Amino acid sequence: MRYRMHVILLSLCLIKVAWPLPQGAPTTACQSMVPFHGGIQPQAGISPYTVAPRREGNKVVVTLTSGLGVPFQGFLLQGRTPDGAILGEFDSSTINEGHPLDCAEPADSITHNSPNDKSSINVVWTPPREYEGPVIFNATIAQAYDTFWVGIESNLVPITKRGANDPTFNFPTEPSSRTPPNFVPYQPKQSSTEFDPFYDGCAVNKLCFGAPADCVSSKSCKAVVGVIVTGDRYDFELKADSNAAWVGVGLSDDDKMGDDSVIECVKRGNGVAAYMSYTTAPNYGAPRLANPQLGIQLLNSSLVDGTIYCKVRRDVSTNVNGRFYDLVSGKYNLLIAAGSSVKPNSVSFHDIVYLASAEPQALADVSALAAKSKLLIRLHGCFMLAAWLGTASIGILLARYYRQTWVGHQMFGKDMWFAWHRTFMVLTWALTIVAFVLIFVELKAWSGENKPHAILGTVTTILCFIQPIGAYFRPHPGTPKRAIFNWLHWGIGNAAHIVAIVTLFFAVKLTKAELPEFVDWILVAYVVIHVISHLVLSVMNCVAERSGENRITSFPMKDLGGSGRTSAYTDRNPDAPFSTFRKFILAIYIVIVLIIVIALIVITALAPIEEAWSNLKSSVTNRN
């Protein structure tokens, strides 16, 4: 009998410990806002609940709710100054689900009356009569005894002294951030994500992969996925920055997009929805399944300052569009992507970021996952820059303005200008063809981006390809068809160069290029230098043409309609007037173009250059 009484008493004690504080939070939780729930730690993920203040005159109406409709059982709510001091007074008579708690002053906090499920709480808060300045409302909200979030913040609320004629302000419903456990007073927000809780556990107890490459280590991903495996439960956490309307992760058999199973998290109103979709090739679409919730369950999500977060549990085994996915025994490449817009039944193009992992890996393996190499993309960009900003520009300038320069000097049996022109244009042809082949080897399909870069690049390559063929079969000087060749050669060459420059401008906007916006201004600088050089040299030719005895025998535009430049080859006159000045202009032009080309090649090779520069500074700082 005595033994049974001990068992009963022990059971009652355990029940009391496990019961989620029916009378609300005690005063011992006032400062830290951390409830004592048998040693259970607060949730590390982003809270599904919001603290939304709405100012009405000298008072503030504070609403605790969930944009996803998730009920909660307990709460503790306080108003604090930016340095963490508790202030103000709650009017508990406005609700029947809470009562005041005296922490620093009477009724300066409010907590729940019972552990019954609540969909939302509205309460009126009054500031001290003489207080003027910002207030932040902080809440601890318990979804259940073992699931609670600590220090959920509202936006800043400006408070003026009582009695002022204040207007009514409406504040966003999303909280500005979530404070970590053991409440820390408000501090100005920084752009750095160094303390982002999403990255806690990466490479320790969860597999993390984000874009751009190597962003997980610096905690600066534009889009990131974390895979947490607990027994037979596979949970996918997804997050994207405030510019994104959606973020998704694909499971792929290779490092290419197409025929992949995708979990996508999409902004929907003030919340986030999760869907299953399937990528198609070669148009890179991602239509949702007929049953878009097939095999997935949304566990948690939030939309804080526009940042998407969701946690989705996926079934271990799923059959998607006839393909079987086994998360236990299968190895997959991860594809992470984010975009700025959505369609009614699918996401739009991943215009913010896209990255594939280099090798397939078991999802339970938490070791670092390397990104797919972008070497071919980088080489494509570098070769095109070298060809059309460098060799083509110099070769065109030589052919147009330097036919009567270095007269009497030859290289490989040809006039100096022609030998160098041919050398530079052969390099242009070779670099362009190689770059064109490289990008198709990389993509193995037509570009999926809805931008004219791919079309214009193809036009440039075709014009470049046929130009030397026409030059090889050019008629001899003095023949009737020479004028036709002159016009065609001039027109095709200049058209290819102009289209190529326009194509480079469109390349700056490509997601895969990862180029900073200021590259546009470097390209503009090149165009200005190129145009000014042509104008100066054209004026010099016009002046030289009128100089009398030493007339230029090969003024370019004038001679295009002629049968040939016979005099240029038979009359070996001295260099045309202003030859030294033309050489000086050419030297300056080559130096400036070389600087521009080298700068753009470095930016392209190290793209995204912002992350490369940030990593370099961090490395130097750590060494010091």
Side-chain angles (χ1 to χ4, degrees), residues 401-467:
Y401 301 107
Y402 290 86
R403 294 171 181 261
Q404 201 67 16
T405 308
W406 299 292
V407 173
H409 296 82
Q410 291 191 338
M411 186 171 69
F412 304 120
K414 300 292 183 181
D415 287 348
M416 188 72 73
W417 74 267
F418 181 78
W420 280 113
H421 168 75
R422 183 170 61 182
T423 300
F424 281 120
M425 300 320 290
V426 167
L427 285 173
T428 301
W429 187 90
L431 289 169
T432 301
I433 299 304
V434 172
F436 187 77
V437 172
L438 286 177
I439 200 63
F440 272 94
V441 171
E442 168 67 20
L443 299 180
K444 293 183 173 63
W446 187 258
S447 174
E449 301 205 35
N450 188 23
K451 292 181 175 66
H453 174 82
I455 295 175
L456 294 177
T458 302
V459 171
T460 300
T461 304
I462 292 173
L463 293 175
C464 177
F465 183 80
I466 64 176
Q467 183 75 332

Side-chain angles (χ1 to χ4, degrees), residues 203-483:
V204 177
N205 55 24
K206 69 178 178 180
L207 172 64
C208 295
F209 182 65
D214 302 322
C215 66
V216 173
S217 58
S218 60
K219 302 180 181 179
S220 58
C221 299
K222 294 181 179 179
V224 61
V225 58
V227 184
I228 305 170
V229 180
T230 308
D232 60 353
R233 293 180 301 179
Y234 284 73
D235 296 337
F236 291 76
E237 287 185 303
L238 289 164
K239 180 186 173 185
D241 63 21
S242 57
N243 295 321
W246 64 271
V247 57
V249 59
L251 301 182
S252 178
D253 293 330
D254 53 28
D255 58 11
K256 299 290 189 297
M257 185 176 173
D259 298 327
D260 314 308
S261 176
V262 177
I263 299 173
E264 60 184 55
C265 290
V266 181
K267 287 182 180 178
R268 190 178 66 178
N270 292 327
V272 179
Y275 303 104
M276 279 277 277
S277 58
Y278 194 79
T279 64
T280 58
N283 60 354
Y284 297 142
R288 291 181 188 139
L289 304 183
N291 176 12
Q293 269 72 46
L294 174 68
I296 62 172
Q297 176 188 1
L298 181 61
L299 301 179
N300 193 1
S301 66
S302 67
L303 192 58
V304 180
D305 285 344
T307 297
I308 302 174
Y309 168 83
C310 71
K311 185 175 184 179
V312 179
R313 179 163 296 166
R314 176 166 177 155
D315 291 350
V316 172
S317 300
T318 49
N319 191 318
V320 183
N321 280 11
R323 295 174 66 93
F324 184 71
Y325 291 84
D326 185 352
L327 305 188
V328 176
S329 60
K331 292 185 177 182
Y332 301 98
N333 290 80
L334 292 184
L335 313 178
I336 183 71
S340 60
S341 62
V342 295
K343 299 177 182 178
N345 296 309
S346 69
V347 297
S348 296
F349 185 77
H350 44 75
D351 56 349
I352 293 180
V353 74
Y354 167 81
L355 190 64
S357 62
E359 300 292 339
Q361 184 167 308
L363 299 180
D365 182 357
V366 299
S367 59
L369 193 57
K372 175 190 173 185
S373 172
K374 294 187 176 181
L375 177 61
L376 297 185
I377 294 177
R378 302 289 176 246
L379 288 176
H380 167 81
C382 292
F383 286 174
M384 285 299 193
L385 287 168
W388 295 102
L389 296 188
T391 56
S393 300
I394 298 172
I396 290 173
L397 207 73
L398 285 168
R400 186 165 185 177
Y401 301 107
Y402 290 86
R403 294 171 181 261
Q404 201 67 16
T405 308
W406 299 292
V407 173
H409 296 82
Q410 291 191 338
M411 186 171 69
F412 304 120
K414 300 292 183 181
D415 287 348
M416 188 72 73
W417 74 267
F418 181 78
W420 280 113
H421 168 75
R422 183 170 61 182
T423 300
F424 281 120
M425 300 320 290
V426 167
L427 285 173
T428 301
W429 187 90
L431 289 169
T432 301
I433 299 304
V434 172
F436 187 77
V437 172
L438 286 177
I439 200 63
F440 272 94
V441 171
E442 168 67 20
L443 299 180
K444 293 183 173 63
W446 187 258
S447 174
E449 301 205 35
N450 188 23
K451 292 181 175 66
H453 174 82
I455 295 175
L456 294 177
T458 302
V459 171
T460 300
T461 304
I462 292 173
L463 293 175
C464 177
F465 183 80
I466 64 176
Q467 183 75 332
I469 298 176
Y472 180 79
F473 292 103
R474 65 186 181 278
H476 290 289
T479 59
K481 294 182 180 180
R482 180 71 178 201

